[in-house]
Amino acid sequence: MKLLIVDDSKAARMLIKSILLDYDSEMELMEASNGEEGVALYLQEQPDIVFLDLTMPIMDGYEALEKILSINPNAQVVVLTADIQVKSVQRCMNLGAYKVVKKLPDKQAVHGLLDELKKTTEGLM
Protein backbone atom coordinates (compact mmCIF):
# COMPACT_ATOMS: atom_id res chain seq x y z
CA MET A 1 0.00 0.00 0.00
CA LYS A 2 1.33 3.45 -0.97
CA LEU A 3 0.49 6.46 1.18
CA LEU A 4 1.29 10.12 0.79
CA ILE A 5 1.51 12.47 3.78
CA VAL A 6 1.20 16.17 2.89
CA ASP A 7 1.86 18.51 5.82
CA ASP A 8 4.13 21.51 6.31
CA SER A 9 4.95 20.40 9.86
CA LYS A 10 7.84 17.96 9.92
CA ALA A 11 6.83 16.90 13.45
CA ALA A 12 3.27 16.14 12.29
CA ARG A 13 4.59 14.13 9.32
CA MET A 14 6.88 12.16 11.61
CA LEU A 15 4.03 11.37 14.03
CA ILE A 16 1.66 10.27 11.27
CA LYS A 17 4.44 8.25 9.64
CA SER A 18 5.11 6.48 12.94
CA ILE A 19 1.42 5.64 13.37
CA LEU A 20 1.17 4.35 9.79
CA LEU A 21 4.29 2.21 10.04
CA ASP A 22 3.01 0.79 13.32
CA TYR A 23 -0.09 -0.32 11.38
CA ASP A 24 1.91 -1.88 8.54
CA SER A 25 5.68 -1.70 8.44
CA GLU A 26 5.63 -2.77 4.77
CA MET A 27 3.68 0.23 3.48
CA GLU A 28 5.41 2.66 1.17
CA LEU A 29 5.28 6.21 2.55
CA MET A 30 5.95 9.43 0.71
CA GLU A 31 6.04 12.92 2.16
CA ALA A 32 5.45 16.43 0.87
CA SER A 33 5.72 19.70 2.79
CA ASN A 34 3.09 21.70 0.89
CA GLY A 35 0.15 21.23 -1.43
CA GLU A 36 2.10 21.90 -4.61
CA GLU A 37 4.66 19.20 -3.78
CA GLY A 38 1.83 16.90 -2.72
CA VAL A 39 -0.02 17.26 -6.03
CA ALA A 40 3.19 16.70 -8.01
CA LEU A 41 4.01 13.60 -5.96
CA TYR A 42 0.44 12.34 -6.30
CA LEU A 43 0.62 12.68 -10.08
CA GLN A 44 3.98 10.89 -10.21
CA GLU A 45 3.36 8.08 -7.70
CA GLN A 46 -0.46 7.58 -7.62
CA PRO A 47 -0.61 6.61 -3.92
CA ASP A 48 -3.56 4.59 -2.60
CA ILE A 49 -4.33 7.02 0.23
CA VAL A 50 -3.40 10.65 0.89
CA PHE A 51 -3.28 12.26 4.33
CA LEU A 52 -3.58 16.00 3.69
CA ASP A 53 -3.21 19.02 5.97
CA LEU A 54 -5.27 22.12 5.17
CA THR A 55 -3.10 25.03 6.27
CA MET A 56 0.15 25.00 4.32
CA PRO A 57 2.32 27.48 2.42
CA ILE A 58 2.46 27.73 -1.39
CA MET A 59 -0.72 25.66 -1.96
CA ASP A 60 -3.22 24.98 0.83
CA GLY A 61 -5.01 21.70 1.38
CA TYR A 62 -8.29 22.84 -0.20
CA GLU A 63 -6.59 23.59 -3.52
CA ALA A 64 -4.47 20.44 -3.31
CA LEU A 65 -7.59 18.37 -2.62
CA GLU A 66 -9.30 19.81 -5.70
CA LYS A 67 -6.27 19.16 -7.90
CA ILE A 68 -5.75 15.59 -6.65
CA LEU A 69 -9.41 14.78 -7.25
CA SER A 70 -9.22 16.32 -10.73
CA ILE A 71 -6.33 13.93 -11.47
CA ASN A 72 -8.21 10.96 -9.97
CA PRO A 73 -11.86 11.43 -8.97
CA ASN A 74 -11.62 8.18 -6.96
CA ALA A 75 -8.60 9.28 -4.90
CA GLN A 76 -8.89 8.48 -1.19
CA VAL A 77 -7.95 11.70 0.59
CA VAL A 78 -8.14 12.02 4.36
CA VAL A 79 -7.90 15.61 5.56
CA LEU A 80 -6.03 16.03 8.84
CA THR A 81 -6.64 19.44 10.34
CA ALA A 82 -6.85 21.33 13.60
CA ASP A 83 -9.67 23.37 12.01
CA ILE A 84 -12.69 21.17 12.60
CA GLN A 85 -15.28 23.92 12.32
CA VAL A 86 -18.43 22.72 10.60
CA LYS A 87 -17.88 25.11 7.69
CA SER A 88 -14.34 23.79 7.05
CA VAL A 89 -15.34 20.14 7.40
CA GLN A 90 -18.31 20.65 5.08
CA ARG A 91 -16.12 22.38 2.49
CA CYS A 92 -13.68 19.44 2.50
CA MET A 93 -16.49 16.90 2.21
CA ASN A 94 -18.11 18.89 -0.61
CA LEU A 95 -14.79 18.92 -2.45
CA GLY A 96 -14.67 15.12 -2.18
CA ALA A 97 -12.52 14.28 0.85
CA TYR A 98 -13.02 10.76 2.15
CA LYS A 99 -13.01 11.97 5.74
CA VAL A 100 -11.89 14.88 7.89
CA VAL A 101 -9.99 13.92 11.04
CA LYS A 102 -8.90 16.21 13.85
CA LYS A 103 -5.15 16.74 13.87
CA LEU A 104 -3.20 15.19 15.54
CA PRO A 105 -5.11 11.94 15.48
CA ASP A 106 -4.48 9.10 17.90
CA LYS A 107 -3.12 5.77 16.75
CA GLN A 108 -6.38 3.85 17.17
CA ALA A 109 -8.32 6.38 15.10
CA VAL A 110 -5.82 6.18 12.23
CA HIS A 111 -5.65 2.38 12.37
CA GLY A 112 -9.46 2.18 12.32
CA LEU A 113 -9.53 4.54 9.38
CA LEU A 114 -6.98 2.42 7.49
CA ASP A 115 -9.09 -0.71 8.14
CA GLU A 116 -12.11 1.14 6.76
CA LEU A 117 -10.22 2.40 3.70
CA LYS A 118 -8.78 -1.04 2.95
CA LYS A 119 -12.32 -2.48 2.86
CA THR A 120 -13.55 0.42 0.72
CA THR A 121 -10.74 0.14 -1.78
CA GLU A 122 -10.37 -3.65 -1.71
CA GLY A 123 -9.58 -4.75 -5.18
CA LEU A 124 -8.27 -1.34 -6.17
CA MET A 125 -4.95 -1.67 -4.31
Side-chain angles (χ1 to χ4, degrees), residues 42-95:
Y42 184 86
L43 190 58
Q44 180 182 333
E45 298 292 333
Q46 300 285 311
D48 301 303
I49 301 169
V50 178
F51 286 89
L52 179 68
D53 185 22
L54 282 183
T55 307
M56 296 180 286
I58 304 173
M59 180 189 294
D60 68 20
Y62 294 113
E63 187 177 352
L65 177 61
E66 284 184 276
K67 288 185 184 279
I68 288 169
L69 290 171
S70 73
I71 295 166
N72 177 5
N74 297 317
Q76 301 297 322
V77 182
V78 176
V79 174
L80 296 173
T81 181
D83 180 6
I84 56 165
Q85 296 177 48
V86 173
K87 186 177 176 182
S88 301
V89 172
Q90 194 59 49
R91 182 175 175 194
C92 291
M93 297 309 290
N94 287 343
L95 288 172

Side-chain angles (χ1 to χ4, degrees), residues 14-125:
M14 287 178 63
L15 175 67
I16 295 164
K17 189 174 174 179
S18 169
I19 291 171
L20 295 173
L21 288 174
D22 186 55
Y23 179 82
D24 180 357
S25 62
E26 300 293 317
M27 65 176 52
E28 183 181 341
L29 298 176
M30 297 160 281
E31 298 179 42
S33 62
N34 64 63
E36 188 175 85
E37 284 180 18
V39 171
L41 207 49
Y42 184 86
L43 190 58
Q44 180 182 333
E45 298 292 333
Q46 300 285 311
D48 301 303
I49 301 169
V50 178
F51 286 89
L52 179 68
D53 185 22
L54 282 183
T55 307
M56 296 180 286
I58 304 173
M59 180 189 294
D60 68 20
Y62 294 113
E63 187 177 352
L65 177 61
E66 284 184 276
K67 288 185 184 279
I68 288 169
L69 290 171
S70 73
I71 295 166
N72 177 5
N74 297 317
Q76 301 297 322
V77 182
V78 176
V79 174
L80 296 173
T81 181
D83 180 6
I84 56 165
Q85 296 177 48
V86 173
K87 186 177 176 182
S88 301
V89 172
Q90 194 59 49
R91 182 175 175 194
C92 291
M93 297 309 290
N94 287 343
L95 288 172
Y98 178 78
K99 194 168 268 190
V100 178
V101 177
K102 184 178 180 191
K103 190 177 167 186
L104 294 167
D106 66 33
K107 183 166 51 172
Q108 288 181 330
V110 173
H111 289 185
L113 185 60
L114 289 170
D115 287 339
E116 187 181 309
L117 279 163
K118 281 176 79 174
K119 288 178 188 168
T120 302
T121 58
E122 211 166 68
L124 299 176
M125 289 191 238

